[in-house]
Amino acid sequence: MSTQIPQRLDADHRRFVVAREPHLLHCHHYNTFLLRSILDAHFVDSLPFLVGAGNEVAFHQLSALFKEADLQDVGARKELAAELYRWAGFGVLDLSTLTEEGGTLQTAHSHYSMAWNAKFGTADAPMDHFTAGWLSGALAAIYDRPQGQFAVRQTDDMAAGAALNRFTLEGNGDPNYTVFASPGLGPLTTHEPRPVPETPVDYDGIFAALSGMDISGDPQGVIPAFGVYLTRHYANYYNRISFEFLREMDAQFGEMGVEIAEPLLVEAGHVCAFNTFGG
């Protein structure tokens, strides 16, 4: 497919932007470690915000993208949404099976499922909560329905040993997740990158080379690079699930809960940096 994703580089803030949603390059080690850190806290009801965060970014971005492109045709909207998902390294989706009432979708290509198997082995239960939320938000945007119109359930997951990932959506206006309003690009304070210390490493050259590379999903929606699987993920997704996790830990355990959760979030960054820069 020749559809071009209208990304722009916001070099001042070290991020890419697509339709007012900021994107970051992050690897499968970060994605899975962050997710598992949250899921392992069984006393936290995390599914509503894990799914809701995917819904949030997909609905906001695609609604803006369709408006910017003056794209009214449902079929063309589905193609653009699927291409965005593949381009970002999340996998492959065939949205043609879904209607204004919902439907069932299955796929053999999922970043989160593949990444979980690669890092942790077999999962105990379906865990591609990002895609579940992304699908519900995308379908609402495609059909110009309100955010939260579609309830979504993942019934099968390759990470848990299934042959395919399967999702069921129902357009009943009763979401089984938390509906968040995306902050988009958000209000930013004055920001300048920290000065680079004296070094023989060509920092500016590396930044220019990396920011100019065509880092995008292959036909299976995979971005293999630097010895890891990359994604062009949503900054607002990471922020939402991290801060909701902290809020839940604070609500249940107070300061002690935050002191337990924060090092896990920091370690997710350590794991990513060690593996990506090592590669």
Side-chain angles (χ1 to χ4, degrees):
M1 184 175 176
S2 59
T3 302
Q4 296 296 310
I5 304 301
Q7 67 156 332
R8 67 176 177 85
L9 172 64
D10 178 6
D12 289 342
H13 300 99
R14 298 300 193 263
R15 62 186 183 175
F16 294 94
V17 177
V18 178
R20 299 193 60 76
E21 278 291 337
H23 286 255
L24 308 173
L25 287 167
H26 246 314
C27 75
H28 76 283
H29 293 282
Y30 182 76
N31 292 339
T32 54
F33 192 97
L34 176 62
L35 177 61
R36 184 164 189 173
S37 295
I38 295 172
L39 291 176
D40 279 352
H42 301 295
F43 41 81
V44 172
D45 185 15
S46 58
L47 261 62
F49 66 77
L50 289 171
V51 176
N55 172 277
E56 169 186 359
V57 293
F59 180 82
H60 179 258
Q61 182 179 65
L62 289 171
S63 296
L65 194 55
F66 298 152
K67 184 177 181 179
E68 290 174 4
D70 192 24
L71 199 60
Q72 303 299 323
D73 180 74
V74 167
R77 286 182 172 189
K78 287 182 175 181
E79 288 188 8
L80 180 55
E83 175 64 4
L84 176 63
Y85 184 89
R86 182 206 63 80
W87 167 84
F90 296 132
V92 176
L93 298 175
D94 179 5
L95 301 175
S96 66
T97 60
L98 302 178
T99 70
E100 194 167 2
E101 284 72 43
T104 299
L105 177 148
Q106 63 185 34
T107 179
H109 304 289
S110 159
H111 166 81
Y112 269 93
S113 297
M114 176 189 67
W116 189 282
N117 284 156
K119 189 164 184 65
F120 299 126
T122 304
D124 296 330
M127 43 61 61
D128 195 356
H129 308 307
F130 167 75
T131 297
W134 195 94
L135 280 170
S136 63
L139 203 57
I142 287 168
Y143 284 105
D144 291 321
R145 304 299 295 275
Q147 186 184 6
Q149 178 68 31
F150 292 91
V152 60
R153 291 172 179 81
Q154 183 181 9
T155 57
D156 298 283
D157 195 326
M158 293 178 290
L164 298 168
N165 282 14
R166 287 186 176 84
F167 303 87
T168 299
L169 295 101
E170 298 178 12
N172 55 15
D174 185 20
N176 54 340
Y177 47 83
T178 306
V179 176
F180 300 107
S182 173
L185 296 179
L188 297 175
T189 57
T190 301
H191 170 83
E192 293 182 2
R194 294 175 62 181
V196 180
E198 286 296 324
T199 172
V201 175
D202 183 3
Y203 176 89
D204 291 331
I206 292 172
F207 177 74
L210 286 174
S211 59
M213 289 175 65
D214 179 21
I215 300 176
S216 58
D218 65 13
Q220 285 72 50
V222 179
I223 306 178
F226 316 119
V228 299
Y229 298 116
L230 291 178
T231 53
R232 288 182 174 272
H233 221 314
Y234 296 88
N236 287 325
Y237 176 81
Y238 289 138
N239 288 345
R240 180 68 69 187
I241 67 174
S242 298
F243 284 116
E244 291 301 319
F245 180 49
L246 286 174
R247 273 192 276 270
E248 287 289 334
M249 293 293 284
D250 180 55
Q252 293 198 40
F253 305 106
E255 185 177 347
M256 181 182 296
V258 175
E259 290 176 353
I260 292 171
E262 284 185 342
L264 291 172
L265 301 180
V266 173
E267 183 61 17
H270 289 163
V271 168
C272 178
F274 178 83
N275 287 280
T276 303
F277 290 118

